[in-house]
Amino acid sequence: MTKYISTRGGSEKISSAAAIIKGLASNKGLFVPTEIPKLPLTIEEMVGKDYKEVAFTVLKSFFDDFSDEELRYCVDSAYDDKFDKEEIVPIVQAGSAHFIELFHGKTAAFKDIALSILPYLMTTAIKKEGIDKKICILTATSGDTGKAALEGFSDVEGTEIVVFYPYKAVSKIQELQMTTQEGKNTHVFAIRGNFDDAQRGVKSIFTDPSFADELSKKNILLSSANSINIGRLVPQVAYYVYAYLKLLEEKTVKAGEPMNVVVPTGNFGNILAAYYAKMMGIPIRTFICASNKNKVLTDFFATGVYDANREFYVTNSPSMDILISSNLERLLFHLSLDAYGERNKASEHVAGLMTALETDGKYEVSEEIKKEMGMFVGGFVDPELTLKTIQSMYNKHEYLMDTHTAVAYDVYSEYKKHVCDDFETVIAATASPYKFPASVAKAIGIDEMTDDFEYLDEINKVTGVKIPSSFADLKERPVLHNRVIEKNEMKNVIRESLDV
Ligand SMILES: *Cc1c(COP(=O)(O)O)cnc(C)c1O
């Protein structure tokens, strides 16, 4: 059976169900499988399978302590008519790339794919582990995770969900999506600080034993819906597997021929899922890690130095305004394991790097690991060019991208200019253009308007692209959550929310 261990070592070795419930390892490391499983079928055998079947196969490989029946229940409950496309993740060709559209779920961003299934995985895991505590999901969000998690966990029996987002650093639509959330178990707070502050706060609450004790006495267990949770990450592997199978089915690639993957990256979860797909057996050549002006990852892949001590920019791709990319820790662990061949050495190296990050905001990986990083290439775009890219793609190909997807397309175009590489390329299209309407409208030449909702109608009029159905009544819904708190109040508002 596949067991889960901490990236920072130690003796903790637990089942996938236990890792999904726990979220973060006791020593602040992230849970990783002792070995990334291979696909149980050949790629030829998998061609033609629909999304749910592919998702089932991937989940079953990682979460083999779940029964087939349990996983089918999770997959069937998640990937249904909550998605406005039957294929769940349609693949659309535009310009020189294939866009895997991950934004057809309830909140119009890619996080729906994983957060539609996480509540089912979690409640199933709780039953399997015989836990009779209430689970409290703590989530820090740069805008999209929060709503997708609220939507997923709203009124799920035996759970409470508390979401923290950076005040004034999310779009109006993202904010309204969260503050109008219904469900008696949902709690939403804006915090004065940026996403990194919110994430740091949540992580430190998770690893605070006295707080865990206090809640445990009240029969409450904390867990996470952030991409540090392995139950968030694994469902994302499925769409990279699915994308390759589709390219094969359409004869865009020949069997065995590799593809490139471009991912607009923030916390490094989505692109790490692509790496897991490769480790499972999908031929991926290069991982192109696209950043906005907060280009800490671009610099990292160029130099091996991760340096978060730099100015933080608020950009028009806010879901990527991040300086501490949590999931990079998992990649470092896997690369260290390849470099040193020994789990202890790998986790020791990673733990050292993470300590340096916490104390100095900076680390440099070893020469051995630099050698392993070659399949990753980074690139970045500033906000002005992002808008130009949206405009030129729309003008040339009538394909309307959101700002995050445009960052990816632009970084990919730069890559193509400099690297002789004709491999088919799949770009993770992570949000609907309607999720960031002011920027998209500006890009395609719509005059400035007073609020986001006017942009929705105007973009629709100009482009004919359908407005996501969940946005229709957003403006009319009552705001149910309006608290703005300080960074040091997080614990207290959790207590309040849980009534303890
Ligand atoms: C969260 C998000 C990203 C970044 O994904 P990571 O997994 O954190 O790297 C990119 N684009 C959009 C629209 C997002 O919501």
Side-chain angles (χ1 to χ4, degrees), residues 69-104:
E69 199 186 359
E70 285 167 338
L71 284 179
R72 292 226 184 261
Y73 157 76
C74 293
V75 168
D76 290 344
S77 309
Y79 304 127
D80 58 9
D81 58 12
K82 285 193 282 302
F83 288 81
D84 66 14
K85 294 276 183 195
E86 217 182 302
E87 312 97 292
I88 309 295
V89 292
I91 294 164
V92 176
Q93 215 236 303
S96 55
H98 306 271
F99 291 83
I100 172 159
E101 293 191 344
L102 304 171
F103 53 77
H104 291 286

Side-chain angles (χ1 to χ4, degrees), residues 109-111 144 264-270 319-320 402 404 430-431 436:
F110 90 94
K111 296 186 176 71
D144 290 331
T265 296
N267 222 0
F268 210 76
N270 203 0
S319 305
M320 296 154 68
D402 96 291
H404 303 74
T430 51
F436 304 94

Side-chain angles (χ1 to χ4, degrees), residues 61 72 93 111 171 198 275 296 340 364 450 487:
S61 304
R72 292 226 184 261
Q93 215 236 303
K111 296 186 176 71
S171 81
Y275 173 79
V296 62
Y340 302 120
E364 178 166 9
T450 50
K487 280 181 263 186

Side-chain angles (χ1 to χ4, degrees), residues 3-17:
K3 290 284 186 184
Y4 287 78
I5 53 172
S6 167
T7 46
R8 301 188 195 179
S11 56
E12 205 170 13
K13 197 170 185 184
I14 61 181
S15 68
S16 79

